[in-house]
Amino acid sequence: MATLLFDHDFEDYFPSMIKRLGAEGFISELCYGFQRLMDGEKGLITFESLKRNSLLLGLNDMMDDEIVCMLSEGDLDGDGALSQFEFCILMVRLSPGLMEGSPQSMEGSPESMVEDLYM
């Protein structure tokens, strides 16, 4: 699987968001982020939609290979795009604070939290 290497500073707000919003509220926020980045016709985050919306992420100088790497990091079904479920799993996996230890408001692993809310 590809590894993301960026020179951008990153502050992980996800653990504090879960404490404040709860698991369901947190997933709702991730889903809102997905909606902002997705291709409206396909219902997926595609190369084109991520490139077009990279300004929303503050990444206006992203190279095409970085976009491809981001997509491939979360693409679980190999279709070259991210579904809402894949996006949520990826965001949780990329959070050092969530992967080091689950906040008290979460039961189980971060990945199982996303799966439980989708199933």
Side-chain angles (χ1 to χ4, degrees):
M1 190 172 289
T3 302
L4 299 176
L5 299 173
F6 295 103
D7 291 331
H8 304 284
D9 290 331
F10 175 75
E11 188 164 345
D12 187 3
Y13 292 104
F14 286 176
S16 63
M17 287 177 68
I18 289 177
K19 283 184 182 177
R20 191 178 78 244
L21 302 172
E24 286 187 39
F26 173 71
I27 294 298
S28 292
E29 287 299 313
L30 288 180
C31 291
Y32 175 73
F34 174 83
Q35 301 286 327
R36 303 281 303 188
L37 297 173
M38 75 173 192
D39 178 304
E41 291 178 14
K42 296 180 180 176
L44 300 168
I45 296 176
T46 63
F47 173 84
E48 293 81 14
S49 70
L50 190 53
K51 184 171 180 126
R52 182 176 52 251
N53 294 311
S54 63
L55 288 174
L56 292 174
L57 301 172
L59 303 172
N60 50 342
D61 58 347
M62 279 184 68
M63 305 290 286
D64 287 356
D65 59 334
E66 292 174 312
I67 294 172
V68 169
C69 185
M70 288 178 76
L71 289 171
S72 64
E73 182 78 16
D75 184 14
L76 301 175
D77 60 12
D79 65 356
L82 298 179
S83 68
Q84 185 169 284
F85 179 72
E86 290 171 321
F87 175 77
C88 290
I89 291 288
L90 177 64
M91 292 298 97
V92 169
R93 280 188 27 234
L94 292 177
S95 169
L98 293 181
M99 296 311 291
E100 288 171 3
S102 301
Q104 291 177 349
S105 60
M106 286 175 36
E107 294 180 22
S109 72
E111 290 95 340
S112 68
M113 171 191 70
V114 174
E115 290 172 358
D116 289 347
L117 291 171
Y118 267 90
M119 303 302 167

